[in-house]
Amino acid sequence: MSRLPGFEDLANWTKYPIEPASRSFEKLVAYISQRNQLNVIGINIGSRSTAFSARAQGQLSTSIRSDAGVGHSLASLLELVSIERFHRWLPFDISLEALNDRLLNKSLYPTTIPTNIEDLLIEHAVAREILRLVMNQARPDAAEVQWNLLMGAGRVLTGAPHAAYAVMMLLDGFEPWGVTSLTLDRSGLVNVLGAIAAIDPVAAVNVTFQDAFLNLGTVIAPVGHGRRGKTALRIRVSYAEDETLEKEIPYGSMELIALTPGNKATIEMRPARHFDVGLGQPGRGAVAEVEGGALGLIVDARGRPLRLPKDDLQRRELLQQWLSALGVSNVSSVNNH
């Protein structure tokens, strides 16, 4: 970069060093984690590369993969990840050969955007595997960490036609457990804010949470497995208006509970004896204060680690059910075109 024409002149205009976007992103994640005492993951998925930064228990991990993108580097990604791993996330019937051809076509025309629901879901399947790839490289211990905040950036996440798509990509890619907040860089300012953080950390963090990021909601995800359909978690939500809501969440399901952006509620979680809500003791209840978002309060009772059925038909039906539970009503029409 320093050899580009005009770079020296640009550098002389400021007393602060010019930094790569990935370094700015890393700084923002670190400042948010330090200031709020949170375990934070940040992911920025691009067409050519993906930047990952995470900070937990004072340890900062960063990885930039130039061979993991949804467009320009898709051909390289196909050499790293088997076609079966992309295929498992699709809620419609398509052969492995046809899927491989469509991904290769995308790699030839990397700047194209999805024009139908199938292409959209294929791109989201690619994003899931990118998340899993970069996280496993940068933080092999990620499954053992209880992450408090997931921050997503990049068009495949922020440009999703429904917030549920972004939520599902983050949940399936990272599999957070316990209580986790999800946010999106809706304004595309994450790299700029990271550079500002080097000068005024407080200003950068305040802008991030107040204006730049979209709060998708809070996720409750117990660890463990049980019999599908049997109760995994009982939850009691106490709203600020002295209203309460009680629900039983069956294992293998996802559910939304109303909680509008900016509003908070107290939740009491009572897991079944095979499930742990983040305390390290299966069956032990917990209480937490949560904040609402675009989707509200999201209960992910699919279990951790996530298990997808081996039967293709059953797997596709479940994928459709999970998206439908989060408010996506047109996904079932994919199989009926």
Side-chain angles (χ1 to χ4, degrees), residues 263-284:
N263 289 327
K264 294 184 178 181
T266 300
I267 57 170
E268 180 182 349
M269 300 168 284
R270 292 169 291 174
R273 61 189 183 94
H274 296 300
F275 294 89
D276 175 14
V277 290
L279 300 176
Q281 296 183 10
R284 182 180 176 186

mmCIF file with all atom_site columns, all heavy atoms in Angstrom, residues 263-284:
data_model
loop_
_atom_site.group_PDB
_atom_site.id
_atom_site.type_symbol
_atom_site.label_atom_id
_atom_site.label_alt_id
_atom_site.label_comp_id
_atom_site.label_asym_id
_atom_site.label_entity_id
_atom_site.label_seq_id
_atom_site.pdbx_PDB_ins_code
_atom_site.Cartn_x
_atom_site.Cartn_y
_atom_site.Cartn_z
_atom_site.occupancy
_atom_site.B_iso_or_equiv
_atom_site.pdbx_formal_charge
_atom_site.auth_seq_id
_atom_site.auth_comp_id
_atom_site.auth_asym_id
_atom_site.auth_atom_id
_atom_site.pdbx_PDB_model_num
ATOM 1   N N   . ASN A 1 263 ? -35.760 -1.423  24.833 1.00 0.00 ? 263 ASN A N   1
ATOM 2   C CA  . ASN A 1 263 ? -36.427 -1.839  26.063 1.00 0.00 ? 263 ASN A CA  1
ATOM 3   C C   . ASN A 1 263 ? -35.693 -3.021  26.689 1.00 0.00 ? 263 ASN A C   1
ATOM 4   O O   . ASN A 1 263 ? -35.097 -3.843  25.992 1.00 0.00 ? 263 ASN A O   1
ATOM 5   C CB  . ASN A 1 263 ? -37.882 -2.214  25.797 1.00 0.00 ? 263 ASN A CB  1
ATOM 6   C CG  . ASN A 1 263 ? -38.731 -0.992  25.482 1.00 0.00 ? 263 ASN A CG  1
ATOM 7   O OD1 . ASN A 1 263 ? -38.490 0.088   26.014 1.00 0.00 ? 263 ASN A OD1 1
ATOM 8   N ND2 . ASN A 1 263 ? -39.708 -1.151  24.604 1.00 0.00 ? 263 ASN A ND2 1
ATOM 9   N N   . LYS A 1 264 ? -35.776 -3.118  28.002 1.00 0.00 ? 264 LYS A N   1
ATOM 10  C CA  . LYS A 1 264 ? -35.110 -4.190  28.724 1.00 0.00 ? 264 LYS A CA  1
ATOM 11  C C   . LYS A 1 264 ? -36.132 -5.024  29.491 1.00 0.00 ? 264 LYS A C   1
ATOM 12  O O   . LYS A 1 264 ? -37.241 -4.578  29.772 1.00 0.00 ? 264 LYS A O   1
ATOM 13  C CB  . LYS A 1 264 ? -34.068 -3.620  29.686 1.00 0.00 ? 264 LYS A CB  1
ATOM 14  C CG  . LYS A 1 264 ? -32.903 -2.926  28.973 1.00 0.00 ? 264 LYS A CG  1
ATOM 15  C CD  . LYS A 1 264 ? -31.855 -2.457  29.962 1.00 0.00 ? 264 LYS A CD  1
ATOM 16  C CE  . LYS A 1 264 ? -30.677 -1.805  29.232 1.00 0.00 ? 264 LYS A CE  1
ATOM 17  N NZ  . LYS A 1 264 ? -29.620 -1.351  30.174 1.00 0.00 ? 264 LYS A NZ  1
ATOM 18  N N   . ALA A 1 265 ? -35.733 -6.235  29.799 1.00 0.00 ? 265 ALA A N   1
ATOM 19  C CA  . ALA A 1 265 ? -36.580 -7.136  30.574 1.00 0.00 ? 265 ALA A CA  1
ATOM 20  C C   . ALA A 1 265 ? -35.692 -8.044  31.413 1.00 0.00 ? 265 ALA A C   1
ATOM 21  O O   . ALA A 1 265 ? -34.512 -8.251  31.098 1.00 0.00 ? 265 ALA A O   1
ATOM 22  C CB  . ALA A 1 265 ? -37.467 -7.965  29.657 1.00 0.00 ? 265 ALA A CB  1
ATOM 23  N N   . THR A 1 266 ? -36.261 -8.575  32.463 1.00 0.00 ? 266 THR A N   1
ATOM 24  C CA  . THR A 1 266 ? -35.560 -9.554  33.298 1.00 0.00 ? 266 THR A CA  1
ATOM 25  C C   . THR A 1 266 ? -36.074 -10.937 32.945 1.00 0.00 ? 266 THR A C   1
ATOM 26  O O   . THR A 1 266 ? -37.290 -11.163 32.894 1.00 0.00 ? 266 THR A O   1
ATOM 27  C CB  . THR A 1 266 ? -35.797 -9.275  34.788 1.00 0.00 ? 266 THR A CB  1
ATOM 28  O OG1 . THR A 1 266 ? -35.314 -7.967  35.098 1.00 0.00 ? 266 THR A OG1 1
ATOM 29  C CG2 . THR A 1 266 ? -35.057 -10.291 35.648 1.00 0.00 ? 266 THR A CG2 1
ATOM 30  N N   . ILE A 1 267 ? -35.157 -11.842 32.653 1.00 0.00 ? 267 ILE A N   1
ATOM 31  C CA  . ILE A 1 267 ? -35.560 -13.194 32.278 1.00 0.00 ? 267 ILE A CA  1
ATOM 32  C C   . ILE A 1 267 ? -35.088 -14.195 33.333 1.00 0.00 ? 267 ILE A C   1
ATOM 33  O O   . ILE A 1 267 ? -33.979 -14.101 33.841 1.00 0.00 ? 267 ILE A O   1
ATOM 34  C CB  . ILE A 1 267 ? -35.008 -13.590 30.893 1.00 0.00 ? 267 ILE A CB  1
ATOM 35  C CG1 . ILE A 1 267 ? -33.483 -13.479 30.847 1.00 0.00 ? 267 ILE A CG1 1
ATOM 36  C CG2 . ILE A 1 267 ? -35.638 -12.759 29.796 1.00 0.00 ? 267 ILE A CG2 1
ATOM 37  C CD1 . ILE A 1 267 ? -32.873 -14.068 29.607 1.00 0.00 ? 267 ILE A CD1 1
ATOM 38  N N   . GLU A 1 268 ? -35.968 -15.101 33.639 1.00 0.00 ? 268 GLU A N   1
ATOM 39  C CA  . GLU A 1 268 ? -35.630 -16.208 34.533 1.00 0.00 ? 268 GLU A CA  1
ATOM 40  C C   . GLU A 1 268 ? -35.627 -17.478 33.703 1.00 0.00 ? 268 GLU A C   1
ATOM 41  O O   . GLU A 1 268 ? -36.639 -17.840 33.099 1.00 0.00 ? 268 GLU A O   1
ATOM 42  C CB  . GLU A 1 268 ? -36.655 -16.323 35.659 1.00 0.00 ? 268 GLU A CB  1
ATOM 43  C CG  . GLU A 1 268 ? -36.369 -17.461 36.626 1.00 0.00 ? 268 GLU A CG  1
ATOM 44  C CD  . GLU A 1 268 ? -37.417 -17.602 37.707 1.00 0.00 ? 268 GLU A CD  1
ATOM 45  O OE1 . GLU A 1 268 ? -38.255 -16.682 37.835 1.00 0.00 ? 268 GLU A OE1 1
ATOM 46  O OE2 . GLU A 1 268 ? -37.413 -18.634 38.421 1.00 0.00 ? 268 GLU A OE2 1
ATOM 47  N N   . MET A 1 269 ? -34.481 -18.146 33.652 1.00 0.00 ? 269 MET A N   1
ATOM 48  C CA  . MET A 1 269 ? -34.313 -19.334 32.823 1.00 0.00 ? 269 MET A CA  1
ATOM 49  C C   . MET A 1 269 ? -34.231 -20.574 33.707 1.00 0.00 ? 269 MET A C   1
ATOM 50  O O   . MET A 1 269 ? -33.416 -20.633 34.626 1.00 0.00 ? 269 MET A O   1
ATOM 51  C CB  . MET A 1 269 ? -33.041 -19.209 31.971 1.00 0.00 ? 269 MET A CB  1
ATOM 52  C CG  . MET A 1 269 ? -33.034 -18.022 31.032 1.00 0.00 ? 269 MET A CG  1
ATOM 53  S SD  . MET A 1 269 ? -31.395 -17.706 30.317 1.00 0.00 ? 269 MET A SD  1
ATOM 54  C CE  . MET A 1 269 ? -30.551 -16.950 31.731 1.00 0.00 ? 269 MET A CE  1
ATOM 55  N N   . ARG A 1 270 ? -35.067 -21.550 33.405 1.00 0.00 ? 270 ARG A N   1
ATOM 56  C CA  . ARG A 1 270 ? -35.070 -22.808 34.156 1.00 0.00 ? 270 ARG A CA  1
ATOM 57  C C   . ARG A 1 270 ? -34.906 -23.963 33.174 1.00 0.00 ? 270 ARG A C   1
ATOM 58  O O   . ARG A 1 270 ? -35.876 -24.450 32.598 1.00 0.00 ? 270 ARG A O   1
ATOM 59  C CB  . ARG A 1 270 ? -36.370 -22.940 34.954 1.00 0.00 ? 270 ARG A CB  1
ATOM 60  C CG  . ARG A 1 270 ? -36.496 -21.932 36.091 1.00 0.00 ? 270 ARG A CG  1
ATOM 61  C CD  . ARG A 1 270 ? -37.874 -21.909 36.671 1.00 0.00 ? 270 ARG A CD  1
ATOM 62  N NE  . ARG A 1 270 ? -38.830 -21.335 35.721 1.00 0.00 ? 270 ARG A NE  1
ATOM 63  C CZ  . ARG A 1 270 ? -40.146 -21.289 35.905 1.00 0.00 ? 270 ARG A CZ  1
ATOM 64  N NH1 . ARG A 1 270 ? -40.669 -21.807 37.007 1.00 0.00 ? 270 ARG A NH1 1
ATOM 65  N NH2 . ARG A 1 270 ? -40.933 -20.757 35.008 1.00 0.00 ? 270 ARG A NH2 1
ATOM 66  N N   . PRO A 1 271 ? -33.663 -24.390 32.951 1.00 0.00 ? 271 PRO A N   1
ATOM 67  C CA  . PRO A 1 271 ? -33.425 -25.443 31.958 1.00 0.00 ? 271 PRO A CA  1
ATOM 68  C C   . PRO A 1 271 ? -33.794 -26.823 32.495 1.00 0.00 ? 271 PRO A C   1
ATOM 69  O O   . PRO A 1 271 ? -33.792 -27.068 33.709 1.00 0.00 ? 271 PRO A O   1
ATOM 70  C CB  . PRO A 1 271 ? -31.919 -25.347 31.713 1.00 0.00 ? 271 PRO A CB  1
ATOM 71  C CG  . PRO A 1 271 ? -31.370 -24.829 33.008 1.00 0.00 ? 271 PRO A CG  1
ATOM 72  C CD  . PRO A 1 271 ? -32.421 -23.898 33.550 1.00 0.00 ? 271 PRO A CD  1
ATOM 73  N N   . ALA A 1 272 ? -34.116 -27.734 31.565 1.00 0.00 ? 272 ALA A N   1
ATOM 74  C CA  . ALA A 1 272 ? -34.297 -29.134 31.936 1.00 0.00 ? 272 ALA A CA  1
ATOM 75  C C   . ALA A 1 272 ? -32.954 -29.710 32.396 1.00 0.00 ? 272 ALA A C   1
ATOM 76  O O   . ALA A 1 272 ? -31.894 -29.119 32.166 1.00 0.00 ? 272 ALA A O   1
ATOM 77  C CB  . ALA A 1 272 ? -34.848 -29.916 30.745 1.00 0.00 ? 272 ALA A CB  1
ATOM 78  N N   . ARG A 1 273 ? -32.994 -30.865 33.015 1.00 0.00 ? 273 ARG A N   1
ATOM 79  C CA  . ARG A 1 273 ? -31.799 -31.366 33.711 1.00 0.00 ? 273 ARG A CA  1
ATOM 80  C C   . ARG A 1 273 ? -30.646 -31.701 32.785 1.00 0.00 ? 273 ARG A C   1
ATOM 81  O O   . ARG A 1 273 ? -29.499 -31.813 33.244 1.00 0.00 ? 273 ARG A O   1
ATOM 82  C CB  . ARG A 1 273 ? -32.156 -32.604 34.538 1.00 0.00 ? 273 ARG A CB  1
ATOM 83  C CG  . ARG A 1 273 ? -32.675 -33.783 33.762 1.00 0.00 ? 273 ARG A CG  1
ATOM 84  C CD  . ARG A 1 273 ? -33.196 -34.856 34.696 1.00 0.00 ? 273 ARG A CD  1
ATOM 85  N NE  . ARG A 1 273 ? -33.655 -36.055 33.993 1.00 0.00 ? 273 ARG A NE  1
ATOM 86  C CZ  . ARG A 1 273 ? -32.881 -37.112 33.774 1.00 0.00 ? 273 ARG A CZ  1
ATOM 87  N NH1 . ARG A 1 273 ? -31.633 -37.117 34.199 1.00 0.00 ? 273 ARG A NH1 1
ATOM 88  N NH2 . ARG A 1 273 ? -33.354 -38.170 33.138 1.00 0.00 ? 273 ARG A NH2 1
ATOM 89  N N   . HIS A 1 274 ? -30.896 -31.849 31.474 1.00 0.00 ? 274 HIS A N   1
ATOM 90  C CA  . HIS A 1 274 ? -29.809 -32.145 30.538 1.00 0.00 ? 274 HIS A CA  1
ATOM 91  C C   . HIS A 1 274 ? -29.232 -30.883 29.900 1.00 0.00 ? 274 HIS A C   1
ATOM 92  O O   . HIS A 1 274 ? -28.328 -30.979 29.058 1.00 0.00 ? 274 HIS A O   1
ATOM 93  C CB  . HIS A 1 274 ? -30.295 -33.084 29.436 1.00 0.00 ? 274 HIS A CB  1
ATOM 94  C CG  . HIS A 1 274 ? -30.703 -34.431 29.934 1.00 0.00 ? 274 HIS A CG  1
ATOM 95  N ND1 . HIS A 1 274 ? -29.830 -35.275 30.587 1.00 0.00 ? 274 HIS A ND1 1
ATOM 96  C CD2 . HIS A 1 274 ? -31.884 -35.099 29.880 1.00 0.00 ? 274 HIS A CD2 1
ATOM 97  C CE1 . HIS A 1 274 ? -30.450 -36.396 30.907 1.00 0.00 ? 274 HIS A CE1 1
ATOM 98  N NE2 . HIS A 1 274 ? -31.708 -36.306 30.497 1.00 0.00 ? 274 HIS A NE2 1
ATOM 99  N N   . PHE A 1 275 ? -29.737 -29.697 30.281 1.00 0.00 ? 275 PHE A N   1
ATOM 100 C CA  . PHE A 1 275 ? -29.337 -28.460 29.611 1.00 0.00 ? 275 PHE A CA  1
ATOM 101 C C   . PHE A 1 275 ? -28.721 -27.470 30.596 1.00 0.00 ? 275 PHE A C   1
ATOM 102 O O   . PHE A 1 275 ? -29.111 -27.398 31.760 1.00 0.00 ? 275 PHE A O   1
ATOM 103 C CB  . PHE A 1 275 ? -30.545 -27.821 28.922 1.00 0.00 ? 275 PHE A CB  1
ATOM 104 C CG  . PHE A 1 275 ? -31.093 -28.652 27.789 1.00 0.00 ? 275 PHE A CG  1
ATOM 105 C CD1 . PHE A 1 275 ? -32.073 -29.611 28.028 1.00 0.00 ? 275 PHE A CD1 1
ATOM 106 C CD2 . PHE A 1 275 ? -30.619 -28.487 26.499 1.00 0.00 ? 275 PHE A CD2 1
ATOM 107 C CE1 . PHE A 1 275 ? -32.573 -30.388 27.000 1.00 0.00 ? 275 PHE A CE1 1
ATOM 108 C CE2 . PHE A 1 275 ? -31.112 -29.260 25.467 1.00 0.00 ? 275 PHE A CE2 1
ATOM 109 C CZ  . PHE A 1 275 ? -32.087 -30.210 25.713 1.00 0.00 ? 275 PHE A CZ  1
ATOM 110 N N   . ASP A 1 276 ? -27.748 -26.706 30.070 1.00 0.00 ? 276 ASP A N   1
ATOM 111 C CA  . ASP A 1 276 ? -27.021 -25.715 30.863 1.00 0.00 ? 276 ASP A CA  1
ATOM 112 C C   . ASP A 1 276 ? -27.158 -24.361 30.168 1.00 0.00 ? 276 ASP A C   1
ATOM 113 O O   . ASP A 1 276 ? -26.893 -24.240 28.967 1.00 0.00 ? 276 ASP A O   1
ATOM 114 C CB  . ASP A 1 276 ? -25.549 -26.121 30.954 1.00 0.00 ? 276 ASP A CB  1
ATOM 115 C CG  . ASP A 1 276 ? -24.693 -25.088 31.671 1.00 0.00 ? 276 ASP A CG  1
ATOM 116 O OD1 . ASP A 1 276 ? -25.252 -24.192 32.322 1.00 0.00 ? 276 ASP A OD1 1
ATOM 117 O OD2 . ASP A 1 276 ? -23.452 -25.175 31.558 1.00 0.00 ? 276 ASP A OD2 1
ATOM 118 N N   . VAL A 1 277 ? -27.566 -23.317 30.902 1.00 0.00 ? 277 VAL A N   1
ATOM 119 C CA  . VAL A 1 277 ? -27.749 -21.995 30.310 1.00 0.00 ? 277 VAL A CA  1
ATOM 120 C C   . VAL A 1 277 ? -26.519 -21.108 30.475 1.00 0.00 ? 277 VAL A C   1
ATOM 121 O O   . VAL A 1 277 ? -26.583 -19.890 30.272 1.00 0.00 ? 277 VAL A O   1
ATOM 122 C CB  . VAL A 1 277 ? -28.989 -21.293 30.898 1.00 0.00 ? 277 VAL A CB  1
ATOM 123 C CG1 . VAL A 1 277 ? -30.253 -21.968 30.436 1.00 0.00 ? 277 VAL A CG1 1
ATOM 124 C CG2 . VAL A 1 277 ? -28.909 -21.219 32.422 1.00 0.00 ? 277 VAL A CG2 1
ATOM 125 N N   . GLY A 1 278 ? -25.397 -21.708 30.820 1.00 0.00 ? 278 GLY A N   1
ATOM 126 C CA  . GLY A 1 278 ? -24.159 -20.955 30.898 1.00 0.00 ? 278 GLY A CA  1
ATOM 127 C C   . GLY A 1 278 ? -23.530 -20.906 32.269 1.00 0.00 ? 278 GLY A C   1
ATOM 128 O O   . GLY A 1 278 ? -22.538 -20.190 32.473 1.00 0.00 ? 278 GLY A O   1
ATOM 129 N N   . LEU A 1 279 ? -24.041 -21.680 33.218 1.00 0.00 ? 279 LEU A N   1
ATOM 130 C CA  . LEU A 1 279 ? -23.507 -21.675 34.574 1.00 0.00 ? 279 LEU A CA  1
ATOM 131 C C   . LEU A 1 279 ? -22.559 -22.833 34.842 1.00 0.00 ? 279 LEU A C   1
ATOM 132 O O   . LEU A 1 279 ? -21.958 -22.921 35.908 1.00 0.00 ? 279 LEU A O   1
ATOM 133 C CB  . LEU A 1 279 ? -24.652 -21.709 35.596 1.00 0.00 ? 279 LEU A CB  1
ATOM 134 C CG  . LEU A 1 279 ? -25.632 -20.536 35.522 1.00 0.00 ? 279 LEU A CG  1
ATOM 135 C CD1 . LEU A 1 279 ? -26.760 -20.736 36.512 1.00 0.00 ? 279 LEU A CD1 1
ATOM 136 C CD2 . LEU A 1 279 ? -24.922 -19.222 35.784 1.00 0.00 ? 279 LEU A CD2 1
ATOM 137 N N   . GLY A 1 280 ? -22.465 -23.744 33.870 1.00 0.00 ? 280 GLY A N   1
ATOM 138 C CA  . GLY A 1 280 ? -21.605 -24.907 34.070 1.00 0.00 ? 280 GLY A CA  1
ATOM 139 C C   . GLY A 1 280 ? -22.267 -26.030 34.828 1.00 0.00 ? 280 GLY A C   1
ATOM 140 O O   . GLY A 1 280 ? -21.614 -27.031 35.136 1.00 0.00 ? 280 GLY A O   1
ATOM 141 N N   . GLN A 1 281 ? -23.551 -25.884 35.140 1.00 0.00 ? 281 GLN A N   1
ATOM 142 C CA  . GLN A 1 281 ? -24.284 -26.909 35.892 1.00 0.00 ? 281 GLN A CA  1
ATOM 143 C C   . GLN A 1 281 ? -25.621 -27.181 35.198 1.00 0.00 ? 281 GLN A C   1
ATOM 144 O O   . GLN A 1 281 ? -26.530 -26.351 35.272 1.00 0.00 ? 281 GLN A O   1
ATOM 145 C CB  . GLN A 1 281 ? -24.525 -26.462 37.338 1.00 0.00 ? 281 GLN A CB  1
ATOM 146 C CG  . GLN A 1 281 ? -23.264 -26.287 38.141 1.00 0.00 ? 281 GLN A CG  1
ATOM 147 C CD  . GLN A 1 281 ? -23.560 -25.906 39.589 1.00 0.00 ? 281 GLN A CD  1
ATOM 148 O OE1 . GLN A 1 281 ? -24.700 -25.947 40.039 1.00 0.00 ? 281 GLN A OE1 1
ATOM 149 N NE2 . GLN A 1 281 ? -22.523 -25.529 40.321 1.00 0.00 ? 281 GLN A NE2 1
ATOM 150 N N   . PRO A 1 282 ? -25.767 -28.310 34.514 1.00 0.00 ? 282 PRO A N   1
ATOM 151 C CA  . PRO A 1 282 ? -27.029 -28.649 33.860 1.00 0.00 ? 282 PRO A CA  1
ATOM 152 C C   . PRO A 1 282 ? -28.194 -28.641 34.846 1.00 0.00 ? 282 PRO A C   1
ATOM 153 O O   . PRO A 1 282 ? -28.076 -29.124 35.970 1.00 0.00 ? 282 PRO A O   1
ATOM 154 C CB  . PRO A 1 282 ? -26.777 -30.045 33.290 1.00 0.00 ? 282 PRO A CB  1
ATOM 155 C CG  . PRO A 1 282 ? -25.296 -30.123 33.122 1.00 0.00 ? 282 PRO A CG  1
ATOM 156 C CD  . PRO A 1 282 ? -24.720 -29.326 34.260 1.00 0.00 ? 282 PRO A CD  1
ATOM 157 N N   . GLY A 1 283 ? -29.304 -28.076 34.406 1.00 0.00 ? 283 GLY A N   1
ATOM 158 C CA  . GLY A 1 283 ? -30.503 -28.036 35.227 1.00 0.00 ? 283 GLY A CA  1
ATOM 159 C C   . GLY A 1 283 ? -30.587 -26.872 36.185 1.00 0.00 ? 283 GLY A C   1
ATOM 160 O O   . GLY A 1 283 ? -31.638 -26.641 36.785 1.00 0.00 ? 283 GLY A O   1
ATOM 161 N N   . ARG A 1 284 ? -29.516 -26.096 36.330 1.00 0.00 ? 284 ARG A N   1
ATOM 162 C CA  . ARG A 1 284 ? -29.520 -24.979 37.276 1.00 0.00 ? 284 ARG A CA  1
ATOM 163 C C   . ARG A 1 284 ? -30.068 -23.727 36.600 1.00 0.00 ? 284 ARG A C   1
ATOM 164 O O   . ARG A 1 284 ? -29.640 -23.353 35.510 1.00 0.00 ? 284 ARG A O   1
ATOM 165 C CB  . ARG A 1 284 ? -28.117 -24.708 37.793 1.00 0.00 ? 284 ARG A CB  1
ATOM 166 C CG  . ARG A 1 284 ? -28.052 -23.576 38.817 1.00 0.00 ? 284 ARG A CG  1
ATOM 167 C CD  . ARG A 1 284 ? -26.634 -23.356 39.295 1.00 0.00 ? 284 ARG A CD  1
ATOM 168 N NE  . ARG A 1 284 ? -26.554 -22.215 40.193 1.00 0.00 ? 284 ARG A NE  1
ATOM 169 C CZ  . ARG A 1 284 ? -25.416 -21.725 40.673 1.00 0.00 ? 284 ARG A CZ  1
ATOM 170 N NH1 . ARG A 1 284 ? -24.269 -22.325 40.366 1.00 0.00 ? 284 ARG A NH1 1
ATOM 171 N NH2 . ARG A 1 284 ? -25.427 -20.676 41.468 1.00 0.00 ? 284 ARG A NH2 1
#
